[in-house]
Amino acid sequence: MTDAAARAGWSRFPFLSFCWAGLILLLGAGALAAYLVYPRLYGLGPVVFYLFLAALAAFFIILGGGLLLITVTSLTGIDLLYPHGKPSVTVRLLFPIAVLLAKLLRFDRSRLMASFVKVNNSLTIAQSKRIKGDRILVLLPHCLQIDVCNRKITNDISNCMRCGRCPVGEFVEAGERRGLKIEVVNGGTLARKRVAMWRPQGIIAVACERDLTLGIQDVHPVPVYGVINDRPHGPCVNTCVDMDNVDAAIRFFRKS
Ligand code: SF4
């Protein structure tokens, strides 16, 4: 199944559900805090207590409103995200709580992160009208290169001989054909440098669930279409990727 087809699936529900559960827990904690500090704050004056309540209410309205917009946008494909081009306070705050809850309930971490990537992709797709597809950066993990190949491709992917032993050659060809900037990176630091250098309007990122999850949050608000790699030989060695998913991502940004 391609990523586009997966949009219609259930893969987004784990992340969204854990976020809503996290929000409800935070609400409970906020109500408890208000109850506990009530005598002390009210003693300082009713205004102080009501100011505290107003600040608490504003916090939860922003957080809950943000999560509601993300959920509706992700599930319907209608772009309700707001504000545009700003860091997402909602995801920054709720993501760690969702991860903690998932851990407590022994929910598979990779599945949660894969769900986050699917939610992110659905939000990226929903923003399609606001995304210019002229400057697209494709970020590939170094582990796509087969381990017996000694070509130095992290500095310049054109050093790849396109011998066909690993997927890197296919990316070089796709990059030439579709006018994409392609970079192979060996970690988050280099990926951040490449993003800062190229200032892309959109990113197609191939990586494992964990790296995609961190990277997507790192580069926000640049729209990212994440493609999770396959790891038939274990993590970080001779990985591969479903080129249909990559193609779907390229067609999305190129609008063709
Ligand atoms: S396609 Fe061949 S030359 Fe290029 S990185 Fe893979 S193994 Fe090396």
Side-chain angles (χ1 to χ4, degrees):
M1 186 193 290
T2 64
D3 273 13
R7 267 184 301 158
W10 292 85
S11 49
R12 287 158 288 168
F13 280 87
F15 178 69
L16 292 174
S17 306
F18 277 111
C19 281
W20 279 106
L23 180 66
I24 291 165
L25 273 184
L26 271 184
L27 261 172
L32 182 66
Y35 174 75
L36 292 176
V37 300
Y38 166 73
R40 189 173 289 259
L41 289 184
Y42 210 83
L44 294 172
V47 176
V48 178
F49 178 66
Y50 290 126
L51 278 176
F52 171 75
L53 276 190
L56 207 59
F59 172 75
F60 281 111
I61 287 170
I62 291 170
L63 205 59
L67 185 56
L68 185 66
L69 294 183
I70 286 172
T71 305
V72 176
T73 300
S74 175
L75 298 182
T76 65
I78 300 166
D79 182 13
L80 299 174
L81 298 176
Y82 192 82
H84 302 155
K86 300 274 187 307
S88 173
V89 179
T90 309
V91 172
R92 288 258 173 220
L93 279 175
L94 289 180
F95 183 81
I97 299 171
V99 171
L100 187 67
L101 275 179
K103 193 173 176 185
L104 289 175
L105 295 174
R106 295 170 188 265
F107 186 86
D108 184 71
R109 194 183 168 94
S110 291
R111 243 183 96 198
L112 180 75
M113 292 183 171
S115 175
F116 169 80
V117 174
K118 299 292 179 192
V119 170
N120 167 79
N121 287 357
S122 64
L123 299 182
T124 298
I125 290 167
Q127 298 172 65
S128 111
K129 286 189 184 137
R130 290 193 275 123
I131 300 172
K132 290 183 188 144
D134 307 332
R135 219 165 48 242
I136 301 303
L137 175 63
V138 181
L139 285 175
L140 304 177
H142 190 220
C143 56
L144 270 187
Q145 182 181 29
I146 196 164
D147 54 358
V148 292
C149 173
N150 56 11
R151 307 296 299 180
K152 287 265 177 235
I153 56 170
T154 45
N155 287 336
D156 185 356
I157 196 171
S158 64
N159 288 330
C160 166
M161 303 292 287
R162 308 181 201 187
C163 70
R165 286 182 298 166
C166 79
V168 175
E170 283 184 69
F171 278 96
V172 179
E173 279 164 18
E176 284 177 3
R177 223 174 35 246
R178 309 297 296 269
L180 305 164
K181 181 71 201 162
I182 304 197
E183 293 281 359
V184 179
V185 293
N186 51 16
T189 308
L190 187 55
R192 274 188 292 278
K193 268 190 194 164
R194 295 295 188 245
V195 172
M197 184 193 295
W198 295 109
R199 302 172 65 84
Q201 292 158 331
I203 297 172
I204 298 169
V206 178
C208 62
E209 294 87 344
R210 181 185 161 276
D211 286 0
L212 279 178
T213 303
L214 296 173
I216 287 166
Q217 293 182 67
D218 261 4
V219 303
H220 190 88
V222 180
V224 178
Y225 194 121
V227 181
I228 297 170
N229 61 6
D230 299 317
R231 301 174 297 271
H233 306 284
C236 307
V237 59
N238 296 347
T239 59
C240 37
V241 62
D242 184 341
M243 289 306 283
D244 285 344
N245 286 340
V246 175
D247 218 49
I250 295 172
R251 277 187 276 110
F252 164 70
F253 280 117
R254 285 286 183 242
K255 305 186 197 307
S256 62

